[in-house]
Structure formats: structure tokens, C-alpha cells
Amino acid sequence: MPPGPGTLAALPPAPFRVLYPEEYSQRRLLNVSDELSSLSRAEEGCAEPARRALELLAAVEGGCSADPAADMREVAALAGELLRIVTDPQTRHWDSWRYDRGNAEHAIRWAVRAAERFEEGGGALTQEYRMRLDN
């Protein structure tokens, strides 16, 4: 016997990935959250840009971003700031310079590609889901 309307109303709303599996799969991005998390611990000044980039990334993947292309361009800009910080010779710990630089460069390339894909229509939100975001 299926649950009644009262029972269903009391349940938390289904996540974006369950309600809109096609859009979720189109928004599921190459995962650079590990790279950004690693960079947040790399040098002084990295924590804030990395945290902001991770927040934007989660919003895009979770279907909460109304403009994913702009958000991914912002992630690329934040990754560029992280690259500048980790390659600054004044603050650089040379033992992990190549690793941190590679992480930042990968995040920049990936975010730019994701933004281009969104601009071309990949992962576009349906009108139904946009109305849900506006409420």
C-alpha cells in the first residue's frame, strides 16, 4: 500500500539528482573538489578563495545555480588566484610547488571547459526547475 499524502508531505524534498536525473548528469562535472580542498591548505591566503570555489561548484552541481556558466567562470578566476598564491616565490614552500601548481592549473582548465559547455546549453535548467528556484 503506498504512503498517504500526509506521510509524503512530511518527507524532505527529493534532491535535485533524484528529481531531475538528466540535468544532474549533465551538470555532474569532472571532480576537482579534491584539488581545491588540497589548495585550501597549501599556503596562507588560499583558504578563502578555495572555500568560495567549492561553494560555487556545489551550487552548480546541485542545480542551485541559475547561471552555471558565470559561476564556473568565477571558479576559474578563483583557481587563478590560488595559482598566483601558490607560485609566489615570497611565500612558496618549494617541496610541494609542482603539486599545488598542477592542481590550480587543472582547476582553471576544467572550470573554463565547464563554463563553455554550459554556455552551449549543456546542463540547462528546465523551466519547471527554474520556477522552483525562484520560489
Side-chain angles (χ1 to χ4, degrees):
M1 177 172 166
T7 304
L8 291 176
L11 294 174
F16 175 73
R17 64 184 163 71
V18 173
L19 289 174
Y20 303 94
E22 257 184 60
E23 288 180 10
Y24 176 75
S25 68
Q26 289 180 20
R27 281 174 172 254
R28 185 81 180 125
L29 306 167
L30 297 171
N31 190 352
V32 293
S33 60
D34 288 345
E35 286 89 339
L36 293 170
S37 293
S38 175
L39 287 167
S40 72
R41 298 181 298 276
E43 298 290 332
E44 284 297 318
C46 287
E48 183 58 30
R51 183 192 59 74
R52 178 70 183 129
L54 287 166
E55 287 173 356
L56 288 168
L57 184 61
V60 170
E61 259 193 10
C64 298
S65 169
D67 191 350
D71 286 348
M72 292 313 299
R73 293 231 181 261
E74 179 66 17
V75 169
L78 290 164
E81 175 64 13
L82 290 166
L83 178 62
R84 186 195 62 74
I85 293 168
V86 299
T87 57
D88 182 353
Q90 302 298 321
T91 60
R92 188 65 230 146
H93 292 175
W94 292 103
D95 57 344
S96 59
W97 178 81
R98 180 185 281 171
Y99 176 76
D100 292 341
R101 180 180 177 160
N103 280 341
E105 289 172 343
H106 173 72
I108 293 168
R109 284 191 308 271
W110 163 82
V112 168
R113 277 197 318 264
E116 289 168 354
R117 191 185 79 203
F118 286 126
E119 286 168 351
E120 293 167 0
L125 293 176
T126 62
Q127 198 59 29
E128 175 191 359
Y129 193 74
R130 280 190 183 281
M131 288 173 35
R132 183 176 154 199
L133 280 177
D134 292 339
N135 292 336

